[in-house]
Amino acid sequence: MTNYKKKNIDIIINHAKVYGFIFKSSEIYNGIKSIYDYGPNGIEMKNNIKNFWWDYMVKYRDNIVGVDTSILMNNKVWDASGHKKNFYEYFIINYYNKKIYILEELLNFILYKINNKNNIKINNIKINNIKIKFLKLFKKKKIKKLNIFFKKKIIKYNLSKILKWDKIKKINLMFKTKINSFKKKEYTYLRPETAQGIFVNFKNIKNSNRMKIPFGIAQIGKSFRNEIISKQFIFRIKEFEQMEMQFFIFPGEEKKWYKYWIKSRLEWHYFLNLGKNKYRIKDHKNLSHYTTFATDIEFKFFDSFKELEGIHFRKDFDLKNHQKLSKKNLKYFDIKSNKKFFPYVIETSLGLDRIFYSIFYSSIKIQKINNKKRIYLKLPFFISPIKIAILPLIKKGKIINISKKIFNNLKYKYYIVYDDKDSIGKRYRRQDAIGTPYCITIDNKSVINKTVTIRNRDTMKQINYKIKNINKYFKKNFDISNFFKKKII
RNA sequence: GCGAUAGUAGUUCAAUAGGUAGAACAUAACCUUGCCAAGGUUAAGGUCACGGGUUCGAUUCCCGUCUUUCGCUCCA
């Protein structure tokens, strides 16, 4: 199973590299852990995903507006948001083997050692008891008690060597950076979530755009987390892009809107047509410091589900804390009820790189034709980096003139390419590999009958079409409003 | 971070039992052809992941580092 999985992930990574979608960052220096770059086709595809999200969330609604806030913010933002206090991973250095362990790992290591000592065997029930007690203390971060707890075990199992450990170390997951080169103490962090940019601008946006509850603020932008465990191609990376929306509501209406946003976000995912059975809804058990209840939309990669998007109820946690610390009034005044209050917040937060990966992963199709492989990307047309390829069959005479004319006519409407190199079969395959939905081929018939052939990527079928009607054809086939016949609030 | 796995051309992979490396496909140019990766000629490409050690000599042996994939874990 692992081999099958590895082989498949290799196909995806290779394809992404060979066709200019994703490269390892600073690859000529052997890269840098868990950071990736987007190539020419990658950025087109990424922009298309962004637009698709933005259109659905902002443009097609009258109660959501967008912002683009800075990555660097006043240090105090991260006090108010709780990230300075709570955004940590816990580690410990074991002096026995000089290795750095996540606490739970060390526990497993110790239990393993206890069980493997020749004369000491403890049964499963005992191991479980130790684990439960350890995790209890660990969760409450009672470090002193943990140390006492293990001292007892040291005496009991004579494991003095193994249990020589340093104090527990907290490592903040935010990237610290200097903001004023001359003042040593002035530092801030690269934002670990885009949401805070929205909260600190709440007042500005509410006032400048005369927003009335319920309303939302959307943002697409980079976030940074110095994750210790960050692997799986672009699934878990240290510099990533989020597509977030904070929806401000009347307190008491949270259940209604929470349900609504789960449904609405799922609908967006279904528009991508990757297969409804690939998605799963899962309620969060371990809540992060800012959420009260939370749901994940998960996607099936290979044979396991992984989180794409989180829908969180943040209550009034952020605005309340920002008001407390900034001493600025961030309350909302409702004229109907004549009351001032902190609006509650439902957040939808989607990982752009993750949705990119999910689309790319599920679009790669391998087909056998005449005993040869055909690899094509079955992307939705509005996600494809290139919409149309213009392919003159022969590089001569009037065929060229007609081809160039068609190219110049279409290039202002869609991102298209012109390719006259190599055999026609090869050119089709090249376009297949990057997911171009249509190829227009111009041949001698085009000169005589004024028609071209339009070839469909998925079916490989070709139709003859009058040159003068080409615009109509693509207008019909590239009409995204067909997707949004359902009413969006 | 821990455990396992791997690192040779753009990609997939060979070879060298220590004597500085080849193929296929891809790429570039030209010729020929013209509807699903056609044929031919030619070219470009690798300090064999990086650093150190042993050796007359290291891609090959040893040590360290970096990076990939999988698992643990966490999240977007």
Side-chain angles (χ1 to χ4, degrees), chain A residues 19-64:
Chain A
Y19 291 99
F21 285 90
I22 293 165
F23 311 124
K24 229 197 272 180
S25 165
S26 34
E27 200 196 67
I28 58 167
Y29 295 104
N30 210 21
I32 174 166
K33 211 177 199 170
S34 305
I35 301 183
Y36 290 88
D37 295 340
Y38 286 80
N41 286 323
I43 181 62
E44 292 300 332
M45 181 169 154
K46 196 172 161 188
N47 283 340
N48 291 338
I49 296 170
K50 278 189 196 177
N51 288 336
F52 177 51
W53 185 85
W54 195 264
D55 288 352
Y56 181 81
M57 297 298 280
V58 180
K59 268 202 200 166
Y60 302 155
R61 301 168 196 260
D62 54 12
N63 62 350
I64 295 181

Side-chain angles (χ1 to χ4, degrees), chain A residues 77-87 196 289 317 321:
Chain A
V77 171
W78 308 114
D79 283 312
S81 74
H83 282 86
K84 271 187 177 176
K85 217 178 182 182
N86 299 309
F87 207 48
Q196 294 309 322
H289 66 269
F317 178 89
N321 284 338

Side-chain angles (χ1 to χ4, degrees), chain A residues 346-401:
Chain A
I346 306 286
E347 168 192 70
T348 72
S349 178
L350 174 61
L352 176 51
D353 311 274
R354 287 185 178 182
I355 189 80
F356 184 106
Y357 187 18
S358 71
I359 295 170
F360 194 79
Y361 154 74
S362 30
S363 296
I364 291 188
K365 306 282 175 199
I366 301 171
Q367 201 177 34
K368 260 203 172 175
I369 296 172
N370 303 329
N371 247 349
K372 276 179 184 171
K373 261 194 211 168
R374 179 171 93 104
I375 299 181
Y376 67 107
L377 277 189
K378 201 179 172 181
L379 296 171
F381 71 86
F382 51 90
I383 301 296
S384 289
I386 289 159
K387 309 299 180 202
I388 308 161
I390 312 287
L391 313 174
L393 204 59
I394 309 168
K395 240 194 273 186
K396 278 176 194 164
K398 284 184 179 171
I399 289 176
I400 294 289
N401 296 340

Side-chain angles (χ1 to χ4, degrees), chain A residues 195-254:
Chain A
Q196 294 309 322
I198 292 173
F199 294 125
V200 297
N201 276 299
F202 172 74
K203 209 178 162 186
N204 284 336
I205 295 159
K206 181 188 63 147
N207 292 343
S208 63
N209 284 57
R210 302 179 294 119
M211 303 308 288
K212 273 179 198 152
I213 279 178
F215 74 91
I217 304 171
Q219 169 159 235
I220 300 173
K222 288 229 166 160
S223 289
F224 303 81
R225 290 182 195 175
N226 200 357
E227 306 276 3
I228 312 301
I229 304 147
S230 48
K231 281 167 194 175
Q232 297 156 359
F233 194 36
I234 56 167
F235 190 78
R236 196 163 160 80
I237 48 185
K238 295 189 178 191
E239 177 180 340
F240 61 103
E241 214 159 340
Q242 290 182 305
M243 304 200 285
E244 286 196 330
M245 193 278 301
Q246 309 293 329
F247 201 69
F248 300 89
I249 56 169
F250 289 105
E253 292 190 343
E254 57 266 26

Side-chain angles (χ1 to χ4, degrees), chain A residues 4 12 14 49 221 233 241 255 260 280 287 302 318 321 330 357 378 410 413 423 429 462 467 471:
Chain A
Y4 160 82
I12 290 161
N14 290 337
I49 296 170
F233 194 36
E241 214 159 340
K255 279 203 175 145
Y260 169 83
R280 188 173 81 177
L287 296 170
F302 303 101
D318 302 273
N321 284 338
L330 299 181
Y357 187 18
K378 201 179 172 181
L410 288 171
K413 292 199 178 79
S423 72
R429 289 293 181 279
Q462 294 174 302
I467 293 174
N471 270 327

Side-chain angles (χ1 to χ4, degrees), chain A residues 119-335:
Chain A
N119 46 0
I120 302 164
K121 282 266 179 188
I122 57 175
N123 59 37
N124 281 336
I125 297 166
K126 261 192 178 172
I127 285 191
N128 267 339
N129 285 341
I130 293 172
K131 265 195 170 174
I132 288 164
K133 194 162 185 197
F134 173 88
L135 289 174
K136 230 181 181 177
L137 293 170
F138 174 50
K139 268 193 181 161
K140 289 180 182 168
K141 286 161 196 130
K142 297 200 168 166
I143 310 303
K144 268 187 190 171
K145 281 194 176 174
L146 266 177
N147 277 317
I148 295 164
F149 172 69
F150 274 110
K151 245 181 199 169
K152 281 182 189 166
K153 301 288 170 233
I154 292 170
I155 297 160
K156 197 170 178 190
Y157 297 113
N158 192 23
L159 292 167
S160 50
K161 258 190 190 173
I162 299 164
L163 290 173
K164 268 193 179 174
W165 61 356
D166 195 11
K167 275 181 187 167
I168 291 167
K169 278 184 180 168
K170 285 162 94 184
I171 294 177
N172 200 298
L173 298 179
M174 291 191 287
F175 287 97
K176 208 173 185 178
T177 187
K178 252 191 203 171
I179 202 92
N180 184 335
S181 315
F182 298 100
K183 290 182 183 170
K184 272 188 186 170
K185 283 184 181 173
E186 272 195 36
Y187 62 90
T188 188
Y189 302 90
L190 304 185
R191 65 178 176 200
E193 62 171 11
T194 52
Q196 294 309 322
I198 292 173
F199 294 125
V200 297
N201 276 299
F202 172 74
K203 209 178 162 186
N204 284 336
I205 295 159
K206 181 188 63 147
N207 292 343
S208 63
N209 284 57
R210 302 179 294 119
M211 303 308 288
K212 273 179 198 152
I213 279 178
F215 74 91
I217 304 171
Q219 169 159 235
I220 300 173
K222 288 229 166 160
S223 289
F224 303 81
R225 290 182 195 175
N226 200 357
E227 306 276 3
I228 312 301
I229 304 147
S230 48
K231 281 167 194 175
Q232 297 156 359
F233 194 36
I234 56 167
F235 190 78
R236 196 163 160 80
I237 48 185
K238 295 189 178 191
E239 177 180 340
F240 61 103
E241 214 159 340
Q242 290 182 305
M243 304 200 285
E244 286 196 330
M245 193 278 301
Q246 309 293 329
F247 201 69
F248 300 89
I249 56 169
F250 289 105
E253 292 190 343
E254 57 266 26
K255 279 203 175 145
K256 174 185 134 192
W257 285 112
Y258 186 61
K259 266 189 191 165
Y260 169 83
W261 278 112
I262 292 171
K263 207 178 146 196
S264 180
R265 290 306 308 144
L266 216 47
E267 182 190 58
W268 182 86
H269 285 281
Y270 291 163
F271 281 137
L272 290 164
N273 213 13
L274 305 178
K276 284 189 181 179
N277 58 331
K278 287 199 171 175
Y279 294 92
R280 188 173 81 177
I281 291 281
K282 201 185 171 194
D283 290 333
H284 252 253
K285 277 178 194 164
N286 302 323
L287 296 170
S288 46
H289 66 269
Y290 51 78
T291 46
T292 318
F293 43 92
T295 292
D296 290 341
I297 295 176
E298 296 187 329
F299 189 82
K300 199 173 185 182
F301 287 93
F302 303 101
D303 36 4
S304 60
F305 281 93
K306 291 186 169 173
E307 186 189 342
L308 281 186
E309 175 158 12
I311 292 137
H312 310 127
F313 172 49
R314 296 180 81 125
K315 215 178 167 189
D316 53 1
F317 178 89
D318 302 273
L319 288 179
K320 215 180 195 171
N321 284 338
H322 282 304
Q323 168 159 324
K324 207 170 161 190
L325 222 76
S326 68
K327 288 165 191 159
K328 300 281 179 335
N329 178 20
L330 299 181
K331 280 186 179 169
Y332 179 86
F333 175 67
D334 182 46
I335 201 154

